[in-house]
Amino acid sequence: MDKDVLILAIESSCDETAAAVVKNGRDVLSNIIYSQIELHKLYGGVVPEIASRKHIEKINPVITAALEEAKVTLDDIDAIAVTYGPGLVGALLVGVAEAKAISYASGKPLVPVHHIEGHISANYIENKDLEPPFLCMVVSGGHTHLVLVKDYGQYEIIGRTHDDAAGEAFDKVARAIGLGYPGGPKVDKLAKEGNGDAITFPKAHIQGAPLDFSFSGVKSAVLNYLNECHMKNIEVNRADVAASFQKAIVDVIVEHTMKAAKEYNIKKVALAGGVASNSALRGAMEEACSRRNIKFYRPSPLLCTDNAAMIGAAGYYDFLNGKRAGLDLNAVPNLKIGEKA
């Protein structure tokens, strides 16, 4: 394509109101994120109603800031990309309604983007050499998926969690050891002071589905351990608990990813999603890949959490593939990867 393609991207699936302008799928001209973390900390987790109201309040200023920082106007934009699922339905609706309004008013095409495909596409932004096919381990608060990226916009899930997502387990364990919300970064930080081999927590393996995950067992084991210590008046070493729990999760994720890479004969592995910023996971995955001569990719931490630049990257390839939505586009809170709008 001779002409540069500029995508205005909008993301509002959870508690970040974000907008970005992305050129040709890989060059980020602006990436504005308004985070509500401080607001939801009071409640120990995201309150959907509060998140939706805050999105309504912030979405116009965030989009204005994204266009200004990119030094462009709506006239320069080729398409509007928006997350339409999965996520919190009220939060998603704010972004979808905004994108439809801008599309209608400007006459620009509307491109519906899957949130998880956005996370995967975050890898294209900083790794200009990365092209499909590759294997991507998506680890976030709501999802744990091993995804075979066959081509731009073509995905096959080859491993998934049967219960809790890894990020969900991190949040619940963080709460149990008194770290508060958001749990992932706090467990990661505390684990650096602990011994990952101090306590042996279980690593689940699913019979007949060797690439699938289950994290509710390890979460329950941590809660039982804490409960037992409490009943027996044994002092809990929180750093050891955090490190041992984290090791149990990381070991399983890395093990399954390497197994999949071997099975599918893939020499490129990427990480994506909020938990992909976990330092232990990044380190272990990098080491496992280098031992096997596999090229390892991961977005920088800012692009692991929810942002609109990743939606712009995914939206660019969807735009080139002819994916469009009409003004009847709706939010789909339980959208499966690969499903169409």
Side-chain angles (χ1 to χ4, degrees):
M1 185 171 276
D2 302 332
K3 181 189 170 295
D4 286 335
V5 173
L6 291 184
I7 303 283
L8 170 64
I10 299 168
E11 154 63 29
S12 69
S13 64
C14 189
D15 63 334
E16 266 89 16
T17 316
V21 176
V22 179
K23 183 171 80 174
N24 300 335
R26 305 210 177 205
D27 295 323
V28 178
L29 305 186
S30 64
N31 189 24
I32 307 295
I33 304 167
Y34 173 78
S35 174
Q36 303 178 17
I37 280 183
E38 291 305 316
L39 198 60
H40 297 284
K41 259 185 190 171
L42 302 168
Y43 308 97
V46 178
V47 181
E49 179 67 21
I50 293 173
S52 306
R53 288 180 187 190
K54 197 47 92 170
H55 284 311
I56 291 169
E57 194 184 306
K58 295 292 178 184
I59 196 154
N60 280 332
V62 161
I63 290 169
T64 302
L67 290 168
E68 280 176 3
E69 191 173 295
K71 296 183 173 60
V72 297
T73 67
L74 273 177
D75 292 340
D76 304 311
I77 297 294
D78 293 284
I80 319 296
V82 65
T83 304
Y84 74 109
L88 301 172
V89 66
L92 287 164
L93 280 168
V94 177
V96 168
E98 180 82 8
K100 289 198 289 189
I102 296 172
S103 169
Y104 178 72
S106 65
K108 308 285 181 180
L110 181 63
V111 180
V113 176
H114 190 291
H115 182 70
I116 298 302
E117 293 174 15
H119 274 302
I120 293 168
S121 303
N123 281 287
Y124 298 135
I125 292 167
E126 290 162 325
N127 304 297
K128 309 294 186 201
D129 62 322
L130 176 60
E131 290 181 345
F134 62 93
L135 191 63
C136 190
M137 182 69 234
V138 181
V139 211
S140 69
H143 302 86
T144 303
H145 286 340
L146 248 178
V147 181
L148 191 58
V149 183
K150 296 175 167 181
D151 202 347
Y152 296 112
Q154 284 184 29
Y155 307 91
E156 184 191 340
I157 298 176
I158 56 174
R160 68 185 75 225
T161 179
H162 285 229
D163 38 60
D164 291 15
E168 206 180 330
F170 268 100
D171 280 340
K172 285 174 180 170
V173 166
R175 197 176 300 148
I177 56 179
L179 295 180
Y181 175 86
K186 294 186 175 185
V187 170
D188 189 10
K189 189 179 175 189
L190 182 61
K192 290 183 170 76
E193 301 165 24
N195 172 10
D197 298 313
I199 311 151
T200 305
F201 290 125
K203 296 168 192 172
H205 294 278
I206 313 289
Q207 203 173 352
L211 298 178
D212 281 2
F213 303 91
S214 168
F215 296 117
S216 70
V218 63
K219 177 201 69 186
S220 299
V222 175
L223 300 182
N224 290 341
Y225 173 83
L226 293 170
N227 201 22
E228 201 175 310
C229 289
H230 180 67
M231 284 164 68
K232 292 179 178 173
N233 256 346
I234 298 167
E235 195 182 333
V236 173
N237 183 325
R238 297 195 316 162
D240 282 355
V241 173
S244 301
F245 159 73
Q246 183 170 269
K247 185 176 188 295
I249 297 257
V250 166
D251 285 356
V252 167
I253 290 173
V254 172
E255 191 182 299
H256 287 203
T257 307
M258 292 305 108
K259 193 181 286 182
K262 187 179 179 186
E263 193 176 310
Y264 287 84
N265 194 25
I266 297 274
K267 285 295 176 188
K268 289 186 280 191
V269 165
L271 271 180
V275 184
S277 61
N278 179 282
S279 62
L281 177 58
R282 288 162 90 91
M285 196 71 90
E286 191 156 16
E287 191 188 319
C289 285
S290 72
R291 276 207 310 269
R292 293 166 177 81
N293 282 331
I294 293 171
K295 262 201 114 176
F296 176 55
Y297 301 87
R298 72 254 183 268
S300 60
L302 179 74
L303 292 174
C304 290
T305 52
D306 290 351
N307 65 87
M310 68 184 197
I311 302 303
Y316 167 76
Y317 292 106
D318 285 341
F319 175 71
L320 293 193
N321 287 336
K323 193 174 175 187
R324 304 286 186 274
L327 294 176
D328 57 349
L329 178 69
N330 205 350
V332 186
N334 299 314
L335 185 68
K336 302 283 184 290
I337 204 163
E339 270 185 356
K340 298 290 170 261

